[in-house]
Amino acid sequence: AGLLAAAAVPGALTAFLDGSRFFGGDPWLKTIAECAPLFLPPVRDPWTDIHRIGALALPALWFCARALLRGTDGERVFALFTLAFLAAATGNARFEVIAAALLILSGTAAVAVLLREKRSIGAGGAALLLLAPSLPGALGSVLHPGPSLPLFANPMARAAIASRSMPPGRFLTPWSWGHLFDVAGGRSVVVDNFGAMGNRIAFENALASILAVDEETTAGFCRQNGIRFIVLDNPLRLISRYAETLGRSPAAYLRPAPDPDAPMRVTRLAQASFWWRAYFLRGTGRPEAGRFGLPFRHFRLVWVDSDPAPEPPPYAGPAVQIWELAD
């Protein structure tokens, strides 16, 4: 009856179906390490996930199996929550924090049960599994903590601080840095770290605008959305991920070189994009590309970070650029 009542609300079924993509199948979420399935490279580091979750799961699973077979009602409920969040975390790492907490509590309950049953060796082994995996990762940070870096040590933070003195206008930033420009720079941004949560169509259009092969397309999108500034980093890092997020083939932009030690092979489509031409060519013309290679007429470069990007030659460049829609 409750499900039928919820489904009767206009738009509810559509919203539930759209939200279900969080559990798999969403092209944007596939590119985010925090939403990838645990233990699966290359997005996740299997050893790190085993370090965090694997050992915790062993005593917790023993407790859950015992609780389901001959535990109290409360233990059964707790075991079901633990197993459900462990399964959810395996498919989507966003659930890892909650799953880890439940695994720790279930593992601690396993130690308590084993001690109550006078099985001290088993209790010691379970306690070791709960504690040992965290020690190698934690002790180094506790004994030798790293320096606390000032905000301006980050190139994107420097760009955000520099944006404070720029004229009014919205910013189109790399989506993972949107909140930084919003908070540290006090600027209105189009996309941020929540990506598609506000408006998926606007999010995808924003990504597509800097992949456009025609400057007019990028300028038109900026005019329609009140965008005055575009923040760019080295496209070699994320251009294929942007393509994947938009449902395009990453190989249409970057392809592995035959030699593993050689840099990626960049396609003509990538080199014709606004992003590539702005970052590497500074908006100069490419006569061989015809009308898609005309010099920039609408955008001008207004800020360049002093630090280089980590990408080596021949694709070296500054860490951050800021372009302004001049007209």
Side-chain angles (χ1 to χ4, degrees):
L3 290 174
L4 290 174
V9 177
L13 283 178
T14 304
F16 277 116
L17 291 174
D18 189 55
S20 68
R21 293 189 300 181
F22 180 78
F23 295 96
D26 187 287
W28 174 58
L29 294 177
K30 285 182 179 179
T31 67
I32 302 174
E34 293 95 327
C35 295
L38 293 178
F39 314 115
L40 293 182
V43 180
R44 302 290 303 183
D45 177 18
W47 174 244
T48 299
D49 289 334
I50 292 172
H51 216 62
R52 292 174 175 172
I53 293 291
L56 293 177
L58 296 177
L61 289 174
W62 179 87
F63 169 79
C64 291
R66 182 186 182 281
L68 293 175
L69 291 174
R70 51 194 179 93
T72 65
D73 290 343
E75 289 175 338
R76 290 192 181 96
V77 170
F78 194 81
L80 289 174
F81 269 86
T82 301
L83 295 173
F85 274 100
L86 177 60
T90 303
N92 189 314
R94 281 287 186 192
F95 295 101
E96 183 182 19
V97 174
I98 302 173
L102 293 173
L103 290 173
I104 290 168
L105 292 173
S106 296
T108 305
V111 174
V113 169
L114 291 168
L115 285 174
R116 190 166 60 242
E117 296 177 354
K118 309 297 184 184
R119 298 161 65 179
S120 56
I121 295 178
L128 188 64
L129 286 171
L130 289 173
L131 294 174
S134 64
L135 294 179
L139 281 180
S141 300
V142 172
L143 298 177
H144 305 287
S148 178
L149 297 177
L151 178 63
F152 56 81
N154 181 291
M156 279 291 177
R158 287 196 295 270
I161 293 171
S163 72
R164 296 174 181 172
S165 60
M166 295 181 184
R170 300 180 77 189
F171 270 67
L172 172 56
T173 68
W175 62 261
S176 59
W177 294 103
H179 280 357
L180 182 63
F181 282 81
D182 181 24
V183 176
R187 306 305 300 242
S188 172
V189 296
V190 182
V191 293
D192 57 27
N193 310 55
F194 288 110
M197 300 307 175
N199 185 325
R200 183 175 186 82
I201 295 176
F203 173 74
E204 293 182 348
N205 287 342
L207 300 191
S209 68
I210 65 169
L211 295 183
V213 297
D214 183 1
E215 187 206 9
E216 294 285 351
T217 302
T218 307
F221 175 80
C222 289
R223 292 191 199 100
Q224 283 184 333
N225 293 275
I227 298 169
R228 184 168 182 173
F229 298 97
I230 297 180
V231 181
L232 300 176
D233 54 3
N234 194 314
L236 202 68
R237 294 181 57 249
L238 292 174
I239 194 169
S240 57
R241 186 169 290 186
Y242 273 45
E244 186 179 2
T245 300
L246 294 169
R248 305 176 187 177
S249 170
Y253 293 85
L254 294 179
R255 297 173 185 169
D259 182 359
D261 297 326
M264 298 285 286
R265 296 171 61 184
V266 183
T267 67
R268 292 183 178 181
L269 180 60
Q271 295 178 52
S273 67
F274 172 87
W275 192 355
W276 193 275
R277 293 183 59 208
Y279 183 86
F280 286 112
L281 303 180
R282 304 293 179 98
T284 58
R286 298 180 62 241
E288 74 279 5
R291 71 182 185 89
F292 298 113
L294 295 174
F296 282 6
R297 297 187 301 114
H298 305 288
F299 289 91
R300 64 184 177 191
L301 183 61
V302 294
W303 191 86
V304 179
D305 188 62
S306 57
D307 280 2
E311 284 71 26
Y315 302 119
V320 189
Q321 295 177 349
I322 299 180
W323 288 76
E324 181 183 10
L325 180 64
D327 58 357

